[in-house]
Amino acid sequence: MSRTASQVFDVVIIGAGAAGMMCGIEAGRRGRRVLILEKARKTGQKILISGGGRCNFTNMFAAPDRFLSQNRHFCKSALRQFTQTDFIRMVEAHSIAYHEKKLGQLFCDGSASQITEMLETACEDVNVAIWCDAGADKVKKKGELFEISVGNQVITTRSVVIASGGLSIPKMGANDFAYRVAAAFDLELATPRPGLVPLTFEMKDMKRFADLAGVSADVDIRCNKTHFRENLLFTHRGLSGPAILQISSFWQLGQSIFIDFLPDLDLESHLKELRRRQPKAQIVKILSEYLASRLIPKLLGTLVSVPEMGNCSDQVIGKIAASLKQVEITPNGSEGYRKAEVTVGGVSTNELSSKTMEAKKAPGLYFIGEAVDVTGFLGGYNFQWAWSSGYVAGQYA
Ligand code: FDA
């Protein structure tokens, strides 16, 4: 299709990421005349880098309780209208081989580019035009229609779908376009913040845990009332790994996180039992069965020099257990949008219909994907939200 936009489109989608392309496919299937505008030189850039290049494209256990939002019920309708099983069927219909890595997380056996190719082919099959290198500058309402400015062109459309993502990874072009459009139409935002992001140590912990970069542990991690059982990784600046990424979406500046480094062990009872059976045993030796040896003295602190188990009082055993099972850390921040996999917050769900993703105050204007205040846990949930919300808007736009 010529890139001179003299005709009126039925649907213009801004952003050719996961949500935008899924929406395009569905609107195109309905016979709508669809154009997708993409600022970057190619489509689906985040899909291509996701899951270490293999794209964790959904999760077998996707369910509303795996998503954060100011309204935790909002995602239910879209997730029901287009489920993980629907997306898996699509992947299978395109003969893309996949596997479960862990915890229901599904990855391509080959490459993430198989997913972008699948979406591009499906768009082509239903005559959806995709213009790359075509960043939208503004969206305005003109009578019953919308006008979108792209450089010196103005594109006219009956419906417009904002699928331009959130703020994570600015060096890939992430920007606040969706929030600016929301503001122009007087729609509220849930304050955006980085999610699924490494956290950084304050000076005291930086000194305490110096030299541990690269050490990992299987932990139970808690913040407020939420907890996750996953792997934690020490970095040069703080903490990362799936456990930290997961809890980071629930953490706010000033709050502490609590880490249990021995989640499978009732350490206090275990040590009391050892005191009886092996009074000569040394605490460091006992713990080295469970934890990286570099980590043990850092967690024990001065308790590292306690005498053999036989001489430990109940009180000392209690302190040892607490030093490993209730480690309190108060991060002084996160690595920010530079490293965040997602943006928590976004266009407020109060402003949108959960059934269609259309703005209640601005008929014909839709928001989908990461631009909206719905954020999934780590593990393929964010793509599932992109597919589900994109599918839904594609039925109505
Ligand atoms: P997305 O950001 O993908 O797409 C928005 C598009 O809009 C972009 O192509 C952008 O260029 C374009 N755009 C922006 N402004 C524009 C404008 N003004 N005009 C035109 N185009 C514009 N999730 C998951 O479920 N499994 C995983 O394995 C991973 N892995 C992962 C790794 C890394 C490193 C990151 C950063 C993120 C993930 N994620 C993930 C999260 C996942 O990538 C994210 O949730 C989805 O890509 C969101 O899809 P959207 O389509 O909403 O936005």
Side-chain angles (χ1 to χ4, degrees):
M1 187 190 298
S2 139
R3 290 185 65 151
T4 315
S6 50
Q7 74 273 45
V8 174
F9 289 93
D10 293 319
V11 185
V12 172
I13 299 164
I14 299 178
M21 286 201 280
M22 178 56 91
C23 179
I25 295 162
E26 290 305 313
R29 262 193 198 138
R30 289 169 47 233
R32 307 285 277 160
R33 194 177 177 81
V34 183
L35 168 64
I36 309 183
L37 296 170
E38 170 53 54
K39 187 162 74 72
R41 298 219 326 258
K42 52 183 183 187
T43 64
Q45 297 219 83
K46 280 204 182 153
I47 298 173
L48 293 171
I49 61 157
S50 68
R54 293 228 162 109
C55 186
N56 176 197
F57 55 79
T58 193
N59 193 295
M60 283 153 65
F61 308 121
D65 66 353
R66 309 290 164 98
F67 294 84
L68 285 86
S69 170
Q70 282 184 354
N71 174 1
R72 297 200 67 173
H73 301 290
F74 181 85
C75 62
K76 287 182 179 169
S77 173
L79 292 174
R80 205 168 37 232
Q81 291 182 66
F82 189 79
T83 66
Q84 59 271 39
T85 310
D86 293 320
F87 191 75
I88 294 166
R89 264 195 216 114
M90 189 170 168
V91 165
E92 287 173 351
H94 285 78
S95 308
I96 299 173
Y98 63 91
H99 60 279
E100 180 192 359
K101 197 165 167 192
K102 59 171 186 175
L103 307 170
Q105 302 167 4
L106 301 185
F107 287 73
C108 298
D109 287 356
S111 152
S113 62
Q114 293 174 288
I115 299 290
T116 50
E117 279 155 24
M118 170 185 87
L119 296 168
E120 282 171 2
T121 307
C123 280
E124 228 173 276
D125 289 348
V126 290
N127 300 315
V128 170
I130 303 179
W131 295 0
C132 288
D133 265 327
D137 300 315
K138 259 195 183 138
V139 177
K140 277 198 305 197
K141 187 99 203 227
K142 191 149 184 221
E144 291 299 292
L145 301 175
F146 291 88
E147 283 185 351
I148 301 166
S149 35
V150 182
N152 53 15
Q153 282 198 73
V154 174
I155 296 165
T156 310
T157 178
R158 290 186 175 82
S159 303
V160 55
V161 183
I162 310 296
S164 56
L167 298 174
S168 36
I169 323 285
K171 85 166 188 265
M172 289 182 71
N175 65 79
D176 64 352
F177 181 78
Y179 312 151
R180 281 187 277 127
V181 174
F185 285 86
D186 197 24
L187 310 180
E188 252 179 57
L189 276 193
T191 309
R193 65 173 204 275
L196 301 182
V197 65
L199 299 175
T200 50
F201 285 142
E202 58 179 353
M203 198 45 80
K204 168 173 72 74
D205 289 324
M206 193 79 135
K207 283 192 191 138
R208 179 177 177 201
F209 296 116
D211 313 328
L212 284 187
V215 169
S216 67
D218 170 26
V219 302
D220 192 278
I221 193 160
R222 180 165 59 81
C223 181
N224 302 317
K225 289 191 178 128
T226 306
H227 77 109
F228 290 96
R229 173 73 186 267
E230 276 272 17
N231 232 49
L232 169 146
L233 175 71
F234 285 86
T235 71
H236 289 287
R237 288 162 50 82
L239 295 170
S240 187
I244 291 291
L245 300 187
Q246 294 282 34
I247 212 74
S248 71
S249 298
F250 293 84
W251 173 83
Q252 308 257 15
L253 194 62
Q255 294 179 334
S256 294
I257 54 175
F258 296 87
I259 305 168
D260 178 350
F261 279 90
L262 292 171
D264 288 330
L265 200 59
D266 176 347
L267 187 58
E268 205 164 335
S269 311
H270 182 61
L271 292 179
K272 283 180 180 164
E273 176 65 16
L274 284 181
R275 178 173 62 185
R276 201 176 52 77
R277 285 197 289 113
Q278 298 176 37
K280 297 247 172 273
Q282 299 284 328
I283 186 65
V284 173
K285 184 100 194 303
I286 295 166
L287 293 175
S288 62
E289 248 184 70
Y290 306 101
L291 289 169
S293 54
R294 279 200 280 156
L295 182 56
I296 297 166
K298 305 278 185 183
L299 294 176
L300 285 174
T302 54
L303 292 166
V304 77
S305 55
V306 294
E308 39 201 33
M309 284 317 300
N311 295 324
C312 283
S313 64
D314 281 1
Q315 198 194 10
V316 169
I317 285 181
K319 280 188 185 162
I320 292 173
S323 74
L324 292 141
K325 292 185 72 70
Q326 291 168 41
V327 179
E328 178 176 359
I329 289 180
T330 311
N332 70 354
S334 77
E335 297 274 3
Y337 290 117
R338 199 173 55 90
K339 290 267 179 84
E341 277 198 17
V342 286
T343 305
V344 180
V347 176
S348 169
T349 53
N350 291 335
E351 304 284 8
L352 307 175
S353 152
S354 62
K355 187 172 159 213
T356 66
M357 307 303 293
E358 189 174 26
K360 294 174 194 162
K361 285 182 202 151
L365 174 64
Y366 297 74
F367 290 85
I368 57 175
E370 197 177 323
V372 177
D373 172 30
V374 174
T375 307
F377 289 9
L378 185 76
Y381 299 101
N382 284 294
F383 278 133
Q384 186 58 44
W385 171 245
W387 314 131
S388 296
S389 59
Y391 172 93
V392 165
Q395 308 308 310
Y396 295 92

